[in-house]
Amino acid sequence: MSEDAAATHCCTLTNKILLVVFLVLLILAILLGNFLTLAVVMGTKHFHTPQGYLKASLAVADLAVGLLVVPLTVYAEVSLMLRDPAPDWISQNSQTPAISFHPCMIIGPVFAGCTLVSISTIFLLTIERSIAVLRPLHKESVITRKRTTILIVFSWLGSFFLAVSPILFSSEIALEYNPCSRMCNYALGTIGEFPTRAWNILLLFPTFDFTLLGGTVVINIISLSTIRQYSKRRKHLAESECQSAAKPTFSDIKAAKIIGTLTLVFTASFTPIAVFVVGNVLGNEWCNFSFFSFWILATNSGWNVIIYSVRDQKFRMRAQKLLCTCSCRSNAANT
């Protein structure tokens, strides 16, 4: 493929080295941030809540990206620099008979599945916070840890089923290491013509994603509008005891704002890749755009802990305490 060959040789050695350095730093940021999130959530009783469970689920999905997806790209890019010829799986798709095992058969669905898990988890976080803000008296009875755990399990099962559905339901779709995006992507198999039915299956991804993201944005707008109206009323009216019991708590309001920030950041990072998928189905080949769209989405796996730290004082204090404890133990061991 001429475009693939051009993409492979378009970068200088310096650019390739900088890419690998960026990817290694991204791995470290994802692992540190999400292991810290899990340590705070699982090790602090205050965070043993439905919201805490959802944040832990989001951290696990992000960890999978840092442990599996990005390291494979590092291995592929280093192999392209140091080995001649490079491993066959880098230049051939998963339907090539000569390749017994193609790593992208695992990594491609993992990245797609984790992305879908992230979207569905943010949607569930938004629902959880909207109930706390709009129906504070019903929060404890509606939002339970058992129900949240069941929803998390269904979120993971449904997301990964959707991720593997292109392979299960179309023999025309394969997986390949794409030299443009530098990532495992769904692609044409061994056939030569443009498979309309196969790419229509891939349209399930942006359709599902934007449906959930659209609903998430609408619910966030409603919740934040309610918070704004409540803040205005609080300035002008002296609330009765009944009103005080029915109002959302300060922590509920703050948590809703954090979830709103998560939604905004994820939507901004996901939109480019959705545009790319739709454009690709329509026959457009955007090599440079595909690289930036995929890796903008991948870097989102390291953003959540920053958002929690900036917006949530209790999370920030607990994280600082854990880091300080680890640092002190390390210093004591060295002495």
Side-chain angles (χ1 to χ4, degrees), residues 136-137 230 238-249:
L137 291 178
Y230 165 74
E239 298 177 299
S240 65
E241 183 179 347
C242 178
Q243 289 174 318
S244 177
K247 71 179 182 179
T249 64

Side-chain angles (χ1 to χ4, degrees), residues 15 40 52 56 61 96-97 104 115 126 136 149 156 182 207 213 228 235 257 282 309 311 332:
N15 288 339
V40 170
T96 303
C104 287
T115 301
T126 303
T149 302
W156 278 83
R182 305 298 205 278
T207 301
L213 280 178
R228 186 178 180 184
K235 292 179 181 179
K257 293 179 179 180
L282 295 176
S309 298
R311 302 300 300 270

Side-chain angles (χ1 to χ4, degrees), residues 28-308:
L28 295 176
I30 292 174
L31 296 185
L32 175 62
N34 289 287
F35 274 126
L36 182 62
T37 298
L38 284 176
V40 170
V41 172
M42 304 307 293
T44 309
K45 190 174 181 180
H46 171 78
F47 293 104
H48 292 178
T49 61
Q51 182 186 157
Y53 287 5
L54 290 167
K55 287 181 177 179
S57 175
L58 192 60
V60 172
D62 290 336
L63 271 176
V65 175
L67 287 170
L68 299 173
V69 178
V70 187
L72 182 69
T73 299
V74 172
Y75 174 76
E77 294 303 311
V78 171
S79 296
L80 287 170
M81 286 191 291
L82 302 181
R83 293 179 60 179
D84 189 19
D88 291 339
W89 66 267
I90 294 179
S91 58
Q92 304 292 331
N93 67 44
S94 59
Q95 291 186 358
T96 303
I99 301 177
S100 58
F101 171 73
H102 201 295
C104 287
M105 287 294 291
I106 302 296
I107 302 303
V110 165
F111 183 60
C114 289
T115 301
L116 297 172
V117 167
S118 296
I119 294 173
S120 58
T121 303
I122 291 174
F123 177 75
L124 292 175
L125 279 166
T126 303
I127 294 293
E128 187 263 345
R129 284 299 88 192
S130 67
I131 294 174
V133 170
L134 301 176
R135 295 289 186 269
L137 291 178
H138 299 84
K139 180 180 70 171
E140 299 297 332
S141 60
V142 175
I143 308 169
T144 65
R145 287 185 288 186
K146 182 178 179 180
R147 290 176 180 173
T148 302
T149 302
I150 293 173
L151 288 173
I152 290 172
V153 171
F154 276 109
S155 167
W156 278 83
L157 292 176
S159 295
F160 274 86
F161 175 77
L162 186 59
V164 300
S165 60
I167 305 170
L168 294 178
F169 300 117
S170 176
S171 60
E172 302 168 328
I173 295 178
L175 283 137
E176 67 175 8
Y177 183 79
N178 190 287
C180 289
S181 66
R182 305 298 205 278
M183 193 174 284
C184 291
N185 297 156
Y186 296 94
L188 297 180
T190 56
I191 62 175
E193 70 273 10
F194 186 83
T196 303
R197 179 177 175 276
W199 283 115
N200 285 340
I201 294 176
L202 290 184
L203 282 176
L204 287 172
F205 290 149
T207 301
F208 174 85
D209 297 338
F210 273 120
T211 298
L212 279 190
L213 280 178
T216 301
V217 170
V218 170
I219 295 170
N220 270 298
I221 291 174
I222 295 173
S223 297
L224 294 175
S225 297
T226 301
I227 292 172
R228 186 178 180 184
Q229 292 173 5
Y230 165 74
S231 299
K232 288 182 178 180
R233 288 198 304 269
R234 188 175 59 178
K235 292 179 181 179
H236 296 91
L237 299 175
E239 298 177 299
S240 65
E241 183 179 347
C242 178
Q243 289 174 318
S244 177
K247 71 179 182 179
T249 64
F250 176 76
S251 61
D252 288 333
I253 293 173
K254 194 165 186 178
K257 293 179 179 180
I258 294 173
I259 304 308
T261 304
L262 279 177
T263 303
L264 179 63
V265 172
F266 189 88
T267 302
S269 64
F270 176 79
T271 299
I273 198 172
V275 172
F276 168 76
V277 171
V278 174
N280 203 257
V281 171
L282 295 176
N284 297 304
E285 296 180 348
W286 298 323
C287 188
N288 290 332
F289 181 68
S290 71
F291 173 81
F292 288 107
S293 62
F294 275 93
W295 287 102
I296 286 173
L297 179 60
T299 56
N300 182 261
S301 296
W303 274 104
N304 293 336
V305 68
I306 298 175
I307 295 172
Y308 301 151

